[in-house]
Amino acid sequence: AEAIGAGVVRFIPQRLREAGRQYMAGVSAGGSGVMRMGDHAEIFGLRANGEEFPLEISLSRITHGGKPLYSAVLNDISARRRVEARLNALANYDALTSLPNRALFHQRLQRSLVHAQRFNEGLAVLFIDLDRFKNVNDTLGHDAGDRVLQAVAERLHGCLREVDTLACLGWDEFAVLIEQVTDTRFVGSVARKLLKTIAELLMLGEQEYQITASIGISTYPADGSDATALLKNADIAMYRAKERGKNNSQF
């Protein structure tokens, strides 16, 4: 109802109207003929209440009596964007912790390796496995186990820099990507900090619970030149940490 009788400019935010005017001026100077229907662009639209929303616009031009006439088809694609965002989350993020999943972590690691190779930089992968996590589910139940995983994810995130990538690889396994590594001693200090944070007492309802983790570390270029090799070697190092008594880290 609010669209009827309104000009297209009504649906364009003020900050974008000058760009829209310039675009239309370019279209007007493009000569006669008909623009292909189906060509479209995505812009920000404007609701009556001032809220911006994703808007798809298709513009067509015909020449009638020597004068150009324009037809614009506007489509509110908010629902489509919500669905796409949901599908992206399902494909790339862990449902319980909202962290990147294994597939997305692998993609980011590959991208970081390209950068590291180009600029001759180092990076590190930390593979984190919670110790005896099965006992949590067996003694406290899966709901408690889920809360533990969420709490651990929050703690790990709080220990890392914004530029670091934290991912949940599945169940009780996490991974961290640290870029621009110039000294492996820094990576070791990060691992110790993570272990200390994980080991802090957790309150589940009225019950205290303590959990530890084992961390395996691989570095580029020393331990591999591709994402698969780095993840594999970090996993191997993690099992070495388990063999050496758990609650420790190994390169």
Side-chain angles (χ1 to χ4, degrees):
E2 72 180 62
I4 295 174
V8 174
V9 70
R10 149 67 183 80
F11 300 98
I12 301 177
Q14 186 67 42
R15 62 187 179 87
L16 299 176
R17 288 180 183 176
E18 178 58 25
R21 187 195 65 77
Q22 293 178 7
Y23 173 76
M24 284 304 302
V27 170
S28 300
S32 61
V34 179
M35 296 177 64
R36 289 189 307 164
M37 288 298 294
D39 287 354
H40 62 270
E42 293 182 12
I43 62 174
F44 287 102
L46 184 68
R47 302 193 193 282
N49 62 3
E51 176 189 359
E52 293 189 10
F53 66 99
L55 179 67
E56 182 181 82
I57 180 169
S58 300
L59 184 66
S60 178
R61 180 179 65 185
I62 64 173
T63 299
H64 180 70
K67 295 181 179 181
L69 301 176
Y70 299 94
S71 170
V73 178
L74 286 73
N75 182 22
D76 181 350
I77 56 173
S78 300
R80 185 199 304 173
R81 285 288 168 265
R82 286 193 295 269
V83 171
E84 290 174 350
R86 176 60 178 163
L87 291 175
N88 178 66
L90 290 172
N92 294 300
Y93 293 87
D94 175 65
L96 180 65
T97 63
S98 299
L99 294 175
N101 62 15
R102 182 182 292 270
L104 183 56
F105 183 81
H106 199 276
Q107 292 175 18
R108 292 186 179 180
L109 177 54
Q110 287 179 314
R111 184 182 63 195
S112 296
L113 279 168
V114 171
H115 180 89
Q117 291 163 0
R118 180 177 301 169
F119 295 98
N120 196 29
E121 295 178 349
L123 59 78
V125 173
L126 283 66
F127 195 108
I128 306 168
D129 186 271
L130 302 186
D131 298 326
R132 306 181 188 89
F133 182 72
K134 185 176 182 296
N135 293 344
V136 177
N137 284 332
D138 291 345
T139 58
L140 301 177
H142 287 278
D143 287 343
D146 288 348
R147 294 200 300 275
V148 168
L149 291 175
Q150 290 171 329
V152 168
E154 290 179 4
R155 288 182 175 186
L156 292 174
H157 187 269
C159 285
L160 299 169
R161 305 170 301 176
E162 287 294 325
V163 295
D164 300 327
T165 296
L166 171 65
C168 182
L169 303 187
W171 206 37
D172 62 340
E173 296 178 341
F174 298 86
V176 176
L177 168 61
I178 301 177
E179 299 182 74
Q180 299 179 342
V181 173
T182 57
D183 190 338
T184 55
R185 288 177 296 183
F186 169 72
V187 181
S189 68
V190 172
R192 291 190 293 272
K193 183 179 180 181
L194 294 174
L195 289 172
K196 181 179 179 181
T197 299
I198 293 171
E200 293 175 358
L201 282 177
L202 277 171
M203 291 297 299
L204 296 178
E206 298 180 354
Q207 185 173 356
E208 289 184 345
Y209 201 87
Q210 187 170 31
I211 195 165
T212 61
S214 299
I215 300 179
I217 306 167
S218 64
T219 61
Y220 168 83
D223 304 319
S225 59
D226 61 78
T228 300
L230 288 170
L231 280 168
K232 176 184 176 181
N233 288 327
D235 192 17
I236 291 172
M238 181 274 295
Y239 278 104
R240 186 178 299 135
K242 295 273 190 188
E243 293 168 356
R244 298 191 178 187
K246 303 179 176 62
N247 194 27
N248 74 96
S249 61
Q250 296 291 322
F251 280 86

